Amino acid sequence: MLFMLLFSRQGKLRLQKWYMAYPDKVKKKITRELVTTILARKPKMCSFLEWKDCKIVYKRYASLYFCCAIEQNDNELLTLEIIHRYVELLDKYFGSVCELDIIFNFEKAYFILDELLIGGEIQETSKKNVLKAIASQDLLQEDETPQSFFDDHGLG
Amino acid sequence: MYPYYEQDWSVLPPENNRRFNPAFNMATIRQAFTEAVERVRMPTPTRLRDLIRQIRAARTAAEERAVVNKECAYIRSTFREEDSVWRCRNIAKLLYIHMLGYPAHFGQLECLKLTASTRFTDKRIGYLGAMLLLDERQDVHLLITNCLKNDLNSSTQFVVGLALCTLGAIASPEMARDLASEVERLMKSPNTYIRKKATLCAFRVIRRVPELMEIFLPATRSLLSEKNHDVARNSSDTPDAFQKIVPNLVRILKNLILGGYSPEHDVSGVSDPFLQVKILRLLRILGHNDPDASEAMNDILAQVATNTETSKNVGNTILYETVLSIMDIRSEGGLRVLAVNILGRFLLNSDKNIRYVALNTLLRTVHADTSAVQRHRTTILECLKDPDVSIRRRAMELSFALINAQNIRTMTKELLLFLEKADAEFKAQCSSGMILAAERYSPTTRWHLDTQLSVLIAAGNYVRDDVVSSTIQVVSSSPVPEQTYITNRLWEWLQVANHCEDKQPMLQVAVWAIGEYGDLFMYGANEDEFERPTESDLIAVYYKFLTSAQVSTTSKQYALVSLAKLSTRLQQCVEEIQALITSFGSHLNVDLQQRGVEFTQLFGHYKHLRPPLLEKMPAMQISRISSQNGESGGGSFDDNSPDVIENGVEGGGGGGHSLIESNMNTLGDNTNILLDLLGSTDLSAGGAGDLVAATDLSNAVHKKNSRNANDVAAPVSNNQDLLDLLDLDLSAPSSTTTGAPAGGGGGGGIVALVGDNNQSSAANMNNMLGGLDLGGFGSGLDSSASIPTNGNDLASMLGGLGAPPAASAPLAAPASVGNLIDGHAGSLLADLNPTAASNNVAVPPQGPRLTALDKDGLLVQLVSVRGSDCMRIYMTTTNNSDNTLDQYLLQAAVQRSFQLQMLTPSGSVLPPGGVITQEMRVVATSNATLRMRLRIQYVLDGQQQVEQTEVSGFPEQQPAPAAAE
């Protein structure tokens, strides 16, 4: 996987994870292009598009679009599974996740993604293991700062 | 925030206070104290969630920008003040701001400071920031490499995990090199959590720096033998060193499929699809071009292919990967058929993604396994009607790949249906694809023509130019009855309303065909009881097109040329055509105007040239280099065909023909024209065929005229033939010039050229020269004296002289004056050269004839003629043998005191009885006797022949004009 983007139906970027080194300007350009291309697609169209020298796989969950760029010989269908797995994890972690959860706890979303994927390759296929790792790290954090650092306003 | 700093933490009872520590010592108190002081000094920064809330509350972009700018300014100031307490929170806020698209690079160094902190929260946010903010800038990377190195050696597994994760995301080549050994060590860690991360990290390291692969190989090998679900997945680009693990992998995969239920790794009933896919992929890489490995895999692949459940996406994912693997390795034929059948089943799947994937894969495999794919043809054609554009596009491409001689009829029928309904973006590609397919596989000409026509109609204006040109080419190379047939069909379609607007390419082809085959169309054999229009109907339709605002300029160009052609094909309506064409002489579009003016000339002065110029085009050669898309192929041809005609007209009869000759290989009418010109030259020369007499006359004129006149004659007479012509004309000037209506001396001659049209252009040119000579107007002669000695420049001179009268000529509309002048200059030029060339052939120059070589039927003769400043030597080679000589080449050398210039020979092939002429010019720099050495090369029956000879006895070089007396 080359990168993963999460953005809303309004085209607002919610999460970006780059596994390739692009200059900032290029990242912004790619994001802009993809967001407009994907938002312009109709729901009955399929989830894949060929874009430059890679393939884009995207899927919409409620108001959020999950969009991954993969290489030519990667399995598109499997990428859909990875996206779905990530959504499941978020859902388990936040408890029926919604866009607001990801906006306000974007760092958590990143942490979960980092436990699922490393360098764009899937790392842990067991949901339980991922959540366990995240939970113990959260605990570690809480141990240093008894009241969790960020959630002082009760946005879990 | 930190409870230390909350006002009330100390009042909590110890059991409620998680930070209560009985070992509360002075050091902690001191730390708490300093931090409290610091906190008092600085106001508490906004909390992350508050900032997010604020930003989200902003109603306009400007408002949001204001909030962000304020916060950024604040964060910068805290960075400057080295505030370590709130750094973590500030970076978190900065990351949010960064995601909104604002610049956040100033936080890079702060991220690194965070990662160096001992607190896990700091590290977590710090590495997150590093992954988001860092690019591959070297200075920062050195710092982070150090941090990573420390953390990779940490005792906390999560810290190591963070470091590995970061390395996996942002490793630059330098970093990869520096940290490779650490990663390798961690791959052997007993801790699975770390081992997995390290393995994937190693994967990234190898991708960045492939030569580091070596150090990872042993570790990878041992990992693969583990039973752990995920560690095995490291490897998609590991090399041939892994050949022997194939059985291992097969075993793992088998266990996965048949093995016990492991709920953790299960995705809707399929055990660990991620791992399965990876293994399949690895097998694919290993089995590629390796018969032994492929053999070992056949079984398990078949098992996967049959045992996987297909009701869910997951199952299909695995099947898809299996199919890819089967296609890529050297698998058995049966397995391949199974794979294609799986794809065929995919095509019927209700999930559009799976249909798309199937089409895509079929497209990739169609060339390897056409027959297997053919079986799913109907399903693929069904996909042409899919609501999803991408699927339709793939299906279309696949359909084109599937067309062959057997199914072309049915496929074309389906594709035509598709083409009619297709979106605009498909039409161009689809029509070009169909034309290509039809070209390759069409069973009959009739069918081919019908298909071309249907495509043109279905695709309308979206057709690319290559389709037009290819259709024209197909029509032109068809037998005559087919040409009549398609012209009739095209005419029928032209009658349908609206077609001239939405189907311009069809219109172009139609008018081309009607123009080209007008005689067949109107008066040829009428086999299919076609109802022919009357000539005036036909002209009326043309009138409609040519005056319609909806018809494009290109179409009008086609129509205009076609109309000109019709003028020689029709029997009654020539005047109407002329009127219509003439009306374009003042058209606003320059190109149409030019055509209008030029064609008008063909109804006027050059009437006799019209039929031969507008002859039917010969069958066109297929010179298509076009790719599948046909983007570059046809266009050039398309441009050419009208141009050739245009040039022919522009040249006024002569020059354009060499173009036609070279482009279209029509020698026939070209020769006719030349003969025409020659004929009229003879006529104008009257009885003065005797060249000696002509020379005499010339000299007489030279004598009579002033020195100036001599100067004019001299450059002109460089070309002996021209001199002849000039002389010939001088013999007749009394009639021509006096007959010219305008009285303005030499100018009259020029006006006569423009206005007078009874003589051929060659004769006209002579007229003009004659006029100049006789009129003897001084300045013109002076300027002409400096003209160099070749014919082209002569023509330009004439063009220049011709300008003023042309400007005053009544027939030119103001805008077209430039064109006209150019046109005339061009035509003069054109007249000059062919005339000269033809005279070379037809009238051998007079003078002492030397035989250079007479051997084996090859006769080389030289005739020398003295010019004013040089001697001209005409070499004539005649082939009296029964063999054809190819690549004939004459080389000549003279002494140093002479300068030799050789002009282009008239040819290089000597058929039996053939003649090649070549002109040489020799200038003497001293008073020596000219000798010439000749070397003659040719190829006879594939054998290179060389003859050498020396010639002398040329007449002595003397002051030019007087000598001939």
Side-chain angles (χ1 to χ4, degrees):
Chain A
M1 195 183 290
L2 304 172
F3 56 84
M4 185 183 217
L5 301 173
L6 261 69
F7 52 88
S8 70
R9 222 172 31 183
Q10 289 79 37
K12 290 241 186 211
L13 191 63
R14 295 300 180 209
L15 195 115
Q16 49 176 343
K17 188 81 195 171
W18 300 85
Y19 298 108
M20 291 303 250
Y22 297 106
D24 239 21
K25 243 191 213 155
V26 179
K27 283 186 193 171
K28 273 192 188 154
K29 192 166 162 257
I30 293 175
T31 313
R32 221 174 20 245
E33 266 177 41
L34 280 182
V35 167
T36 39
T37 320
I38 291 175
L39 288 180
R41 284 174 71 87
K42 295 187 188 71
K44 62 182 174 192
M45 296 183 177
C46 74
S47 305
F48 314 123
L49 42 140
E50 266 149 56
W51 186 77
K52 303 205 169 147
D53 53 348
C54 56
K55 294 189 278 196
I56 304 291
V57 178
Y58 71 92
K59 186 150 192 194
R60 186 177 153 181
Y61 286 90
S63 59
L64 263 190
Y65 282 88
F66 290 69
C67 159
C68 294
I70 55 173
E71 281 158 80
Q72 276 303 334
N73 49 2
D74 281 339
N75 189 327
E76 302 97 325
L77 297 176
L78 190 77
T79 312
L80 278 180
E81 285 302 312
I82 295 175
I83 293 176
H84 187 70
R85 174 56 62 97
Y86 182 45
V87 175
E88 280 177 339
L89 286 170
L90 290 172
D91 198 56
K92 275 251 170 67
Y93 183 81
F94 290 109
S96 78
V97 66
C98 69
E99 195 187 336
L100 280 181
D101 291 326
I102 295 173
I103 296 173
F104 282 97
N105 299 288
F106 67 94
E107 82 286 356
K108 296 261 165 60
Y110 276 120
F111 295 149
I112 297 173
L113 185 60
D114 285 343
E115 285 297 325
L116 179 69
L117 301 172
I118 278 193
E121 296 292 317
I122 191 146
Q123 167 201 178
E124 177 57 75
T125 51
S126 150
K127 272 184 269 187
K128 214 164 76 187
N129 286 351
V130 174
L131 292 173
K132 219 158 61 189
I134 293 287
S136 24
Q137 290 180 67
D138 285 350
L139 205 66
L140 204 64
Q141 226 175 311
E142 262 177 58
D143 279 350
E144 315 176 320
T145 54
Q147 227 176 7
S148 168
F149 188 78
F150 293 107
D151 59 5
D152 25 8
H153 274 78
L155 262 167
Chain B
M1 279 315 300
Y2 293 99
Y4 306 86
Y5 318 125
E6 301 298 345
Q7 303 295 324
D8 54 347
W9 75 272
S10 50
V11 297
L12 289 174
E15 64 273 20
N16 289 345
N17 182 359
R18 293 172 64 187
R19 294 303 291 182
F20 176 75
N21 185 354
F24 204 59
N25 57 27
M26 275 313 285
T28 4
I29 291 172
R30 192 170 294 131
Q31 198 200 342
F33 181 73
T34 26
E35 285 182 1
V37 167
E38 206 175 318
R39 192 172 162 270
V40 171
R41 207 160 44 86
M42 297 275 299
T44 323
T46 332
R47 295 185 174 98
L48 171 64
R49 319 293 171 209
D50 287 342
L51 174 70
I52 296 176
R53 221 167 272 130
Q54 269 179 37
I55 291 176
R56 284 175 59 77
R59 286 217 194 84
T60 61
E63 227 173 286
E64 179 187 295
R65 225 172 9 248
V67 175
V68 168
N69 285 343
K70 191 167 146 247
E71 193 60 33
C72 278
Y74 171 74
I75 293 172
R76 269 173 201 271
S77 74
T78 63
F79 287 166
R80 260 200 306 278
E81 286 166 29
E82 294 290 320
D83 173 11
S84 62
V85 180
W86 303 114
R87 189 180 281 143
C88 172
R89 180 189 281 186
N90 286 332
I91 286 291
K93 286 190 284 190
L94 194 59
L95 292 181
Y96 186 77
I97 289 171
H98 175 245
M99 189 146 60
L100 296 177
Y102 297 92
H105 50 274
F106 56 88
Q108 289 175 350
L109 271 180
E110 300 299 315
C111 283
L112 295 184
K113 285 181 192 159
L114 275 181
T115 60
S117 153
T118 49
R119 224 165 15 209
F120 183 70
T121 317
D122 284 356
K123 275 195 193 300
R124 223 179 171 189
I125 296 288
Y127 279 124
L128 180 61
M131 284 189 266
L132 289 174
L133 296 182
L134 292 193
D135 40 37
E136 294 202 339
R137 260 186 28 207
Q138 193 139 25
D139 44 342
V140 191
H141 261 207
L142 262 178
L143 293 172
I144 198 163
T145 308
N146 279 331
C147 292
L148 285 171
K149 197 165 202 160
N150 283 336
D151 286 341
L152 286 176
N153 291 314
S154 160
S155 55
T156 322
Q157 60 163 346
F158 294 116
V159 174
V160 181
L162 272 180
L164 282 171
C165 183
T166 311
L167 188 59
I170 59 168
S172 65
E174 295 80 30
M175 258 162 98
R177 270 192 207 97
D178 290 344
L179 298 173
S181 56
E182 311 283 333
V183 175
E184 199 262 346
R185 181 178 56 78
L186 290 171
M187 276 171 76
K188 292 179 229 149
S189 148
N191 183 334
T192 353
Y193 179 78
I194 290 177
R195 205 163 57 225
K196 272 188 239 174
K197 284 189 192 267
T199 313
L200 286 173
C201 202
F203 174 61
R204 162 87 184 198
V205 167
I206 293 171
R207 286 200 104 174
R208 300 298 300 184
V209 191
E211 64 264 26
L212 288 176
M213 176 110 74
E214 288 299 308
I215 68 165
F216 291 110
L217 279 183
T220 323
R221 211 165 283 152
S222 61
L223 283 177
L224 277 170
S225 51
E226 281 189 41
K227 281 215 138 179
N228 190 298
H229 262 219
D230 313 294
V231 176
R233 201 189 317 103
N234 65 337
S235 51
S236 18
D237 65 351
T238 32
D240 20 307
F242 286 98
Q243 290 309 338
K244 48 179 183 287
I245 60 167
V246 174
N248 252 340
L249 287 171
V250 171
R251 205 187 58 233
I252 298 174
L253 194 54
K254 197 174 241 158
N255 285 342
L256 267 179
I257 306 167
L258 309 171
Y261 181 70
S262 123
E264 245 179 77
H265 296 98
D266 197 75
V267 178
S268 29
V270 178
S271 50
D272 205 346
F274 303 104
L275 178 56
Q276 285 200 38
V277 166
K278 282 291 170 189
I279 295 178
L280 285 169
R281 182 148 168 217
L282 181 55
L283 287 178
R284 172 158 95 235
I285 294 163
L286 294 174
H288 188 68
N289 281 337
D290 183 343
D292 294 341
S294 304
E295 183 62 41
M297 293 170 202
N298 272 337
D299 265 358
I300 186 73
L301 287 177
Q303 234 166 349
V304 177
T306 44
N307 284 8
T308 309
E309 204 221 340
T310 56
S311 57
K312 295 264 167 39
N313 181 43
V314 202
N316 290 323
T317 307
I318 293 171
L319 280 181
Y320 171 44
E321 199 67 32
T322 314
V323 168
L324 289 180
S325 292
I326 291 175
M327 292 303 183
D328 223 35
I329 66 169
R330 304 222 167 149
S331 46
E332 293 164 354
L335 207 54
R336 282 175 174 269
V337 173
L338 180 68
V340 174
N341 286 344
I342 290 176
L343 292 177
R345 253 185 292 140
F346 275 10
L347 285 180
L348 299 169
N349 200 297
S350 58
D351 185 342
K352 52 193 179 295
N353 292 334
I354 292 172
R355 288 201 301 272
Y356 174 85
V357 162
L359 285 172
N360 229 351
T361 319
L362 284 174
L363 199 56
R364 256 191 279 171
T365 53
V366 68
H367 302 290
D369 250 324
T370 324
S371 56
V373 182
Q374 286 288 2
R375 236 172 293 151
H376 302 282
R377 204 174 60 228
T378 37
T379 331
I380 293 166
L381 288 174
E382 275 307 299
C383 290
L384 283 175
K385 297 171 193 136
D386 205 279
D388 186 341
V389 191
S390 344
I391 291 181
R392 282 205 301 272
R393 179 182 297 277
R394 292 282 163 248
M396 180 182 84
E397 286 165 11
L398 193 54
S399 307
F400 284 129
L402 285 179
I403 292 182
N404 61 23
Q406 283 81 49
N407 61 23
I408 175 99
R409 280 170 195 267
T410 45
M411 291 293 275
T412 307
K413 217 165 26 179
E414 291 287 335
L415 283 168
L416 271 175
L417 282 177
F418 168 70
L419 183 61
E420 268 166 41
K421 298 192 195 100
D423 304 338
E425 50 173 327
F426 285 114
K427 285 195 167 171
Q429 202 190 347
C430 184
S431 53
S432 295
M434 289 185 69
I435 294 300
L436 275 179
E439 210 165 82
R440 201 174 310 155
Y441 301 114
S442 76
T444 64
T445 319
R446 173 68 58 99
W447 183 88
H448 192 177
L449 289 170
D450 276 336
T451 309
Q452 299 266 18
L453 181 59
S454 318
V455 169
L456 282 173
I457 289 162
N461 279 347
Y462 300 102
V463 172
R464 292 199 193 119
D465 283 354
D466 64 320
V467 177
V468 175
S469 57
S470 120
T471 312
I472 288 180
Q473 178 252 312
V474 170
V475 174
S476 93
S477 53
S478 306
V480 175
E482 300 301 328
Q483 287 173 342
T484 319
Y485 164 80
I486 194 67
T487 313
N488 294 348
R489 292 290 85 70
L490 282 164
W491 169 255
E492 278 167 9
W493 278 103
L494 276 189
Q495 306 303 302
V496 182
N498 288 336
H499 269 188
C500 51
E501 287 97 49
D502 339 329
K503 302 200 186 332
Q504 306 248 354
M506 203 272 295
L507 172 66
Q508 290 165 9
V509 175
V511 292
W512 182 88
I514 292 171
E516 205 62 30
Y517 309 111
D519 46 347
L520 297 172
F521 173 59
M522 299 297 287
Y523 305 108
N526 194 353
E527 281 165 14
D528 51 353
E529 301 301 308
F530 170 71
E531 198 181 318
R532 287 175 166 153
T534 65
E535 288 195 2
S536 46
D537 286 349
L538 188 62
I539 304 299
V541 169
Y542 271 83
Y543 181 78
K544 197 180 88 196
F545 292 148
L546 285 168
T547 48
S548 160
Q550 272 91 36
V551 175
S552 74
T553 311
T554 316
S555 303
K556 284 184 183 168
Q557 290 166 351
Y558 273 88
L560 212 53
V561 174
S562 160
L563 202 54
K565 291 218 167 193
L566 277 180
S567 73
T568 64
R569 315 260 197 284
L570 298 189
Q571 290 164 359
Q572 290 125 32
C573 285
V574 182
E575 283 83 31
E576 282 91 331
I577 292 176
Q578 186 179 356
L580 195 48
I581 287 180
T582 311
S583 72
F584 271 82
S586 55
H587 196 272
L588 279 177
N589 181 292
V590 177
D591 184 85
L592 291 176
Q593 186 189 62
Q594 190 181 349
R595 281 171 207 252
V597 171
E598 286 164 1
F599 287 138
T600 308
Q601 297 296 308
L602 287 183
F603 289 94
H605 331 294
Y606 304 109
K607 209 180 214 159
H608 62 288
L609 291 178
R610 186 149 49 89
L613 263 181
L614 300 171
E615 273 288 308
K616 204 171 283 180
M617 305 256 265
M620 295 174 210
Q621 309 291 318
I622 305 175
S623 60
R624 174 186 282 265
I625 330 148
S626 69
S627 56
Q628 184 81 20
N629 291 330
E631 223 122 55
S632 57
S636 59
F637 163 68
D638 183 23
D639 292 345
N640 266 346
S641 57
D643 269 355
V644 168
I645 298 162
E646 193 184 312
N647 281 336
V649 175
E650 203 174 297
H657 280 278
S658 59
L659 263 174
I660 291 181
E661 183 179 18
S662 58
N663 283 0
M664 312 304 294
N665 303 320
T666 56
L667 216 74
D669 52 351
N670 182 22
T671 328
N672 285 342
I673 299 281
L674 283 180
L675 287 176
D676 247 10
L677 292 174
L678 284 174
S680 45
T681 311
D682 285 341
L683 280 177
S684 71
D690 186 353
L691 277 160
V692 182
T695 320
D696 282 346
L697 252 170
S698 153
N699 286 327
V701 175
H702 283 296
K703 277 188 170 170
K704 261 183 260 169
N705 281 337
S706 63
R707 175 79 185 140
N708 281 345
N710 239 338
D711 278 348
V712 176
V716 170
S717 67
N718 281 344
N719 187 324
Q720 182 63 40
D721 299 309
L722 270 181
L723 178 61
D724 288 347
L725 285 172
L726 181 63
D727 289 344
L728 294 176
D729 221 74
L730 284 173
S731 70
S734 48
S735 65
T736 318
T737 7
T738 45
I750 298 165
V751 174
L753 164 69
V754 179
D756 185 2
N757 48 28
N758 288 330
Q759 302 202 347
S760 82
S761 44
N764 274 339
M765 189 201 63
N766 292 326
N767 253 345
M768 187 164 149
L769 285 175
L772 282 174
D773 239 2
L774 288 173
F777 47 95
S779 63
L781 296 176
D782 276 337
S783 67
S784 60
S786 63
I787 298 294
T789 59
N790 66 51
N792 288 4
D793 288 14
L794 189 74
S796 70
M797 171 188 98
L798 293 175
L801 287 173
S808 63
L811 60 92
S816 68
V817 168
N819 282 341
L820 260 182
I821 294 170
D822 285 352
H824 279 278
S827 65
L828 286 171
L829 158 69
D831 292 341
L832 198 58
N833 286 334
T835 312
S838 60
N839 275 7
N840 267 342
V841 179
V843 192
Q846 298 297 300
R849 191 179 287 269
L850 300 168
T851 300
L853 183 77
D854 189 0
K855 192 179 164 193
D856 302 338
L858 186 69
L859 177 67
V860 180
Q861 289 186 314
L862 302 176
V863 176
S864 57
V865 178
R866 251 166 281 116
S868 58
D869 52 353
C870 68
M871 174 148 70
R872 287 143 190 284
I873 300 172
Y874 297 93
M875 185 277 300
T876 313
T877 308
T878 317
N879 180 10
N880 297 322
S881 69
D882 298 333
N883 306 312
T884 301
L885 311 183
D886 290 325
Q887 300 173 30
Y888 179 85
L889 177 68
L890 177 95
Q891 292 166 304
V894 292
Q895 299 104 301
R896 263 204 217 129
S897 50
F898 293 89
Q899 283 173 354
L900 174 71
Q901 185 194 3
M902 299 188 74
L903 305 191
T904 331
S906 62
S908 66
V909 180
L910 273 174
V915 176
I916 290 180
T917 58
Q918 186 170 13
E919 183 185 338
M920 293 173 271
R921 295 176 187 169
V922 179
V923 180
T925 50
S926 70
N927 266 339
T929 312
L930 175 65
R931 274 179 295 135
M932 187 177 271
R933 188 165 291 161
L934 295 176
R935 183 185 153 93
I936 296 157
Q937 280 181 27
Y938 54 89
V939 174
L940 175 64
D941 294 334
Q943 298 286 315
Q944 177 91 34
Q945 309 283 336
V946 180
E947 306 285 352
Q948 285 205 15
T949 175
E950 198 172 296
V951 190
S952 56
F954 293 98
E956 292 294 312
Q957 193 81 336
Q958 276 170 28
E965 278 192 285

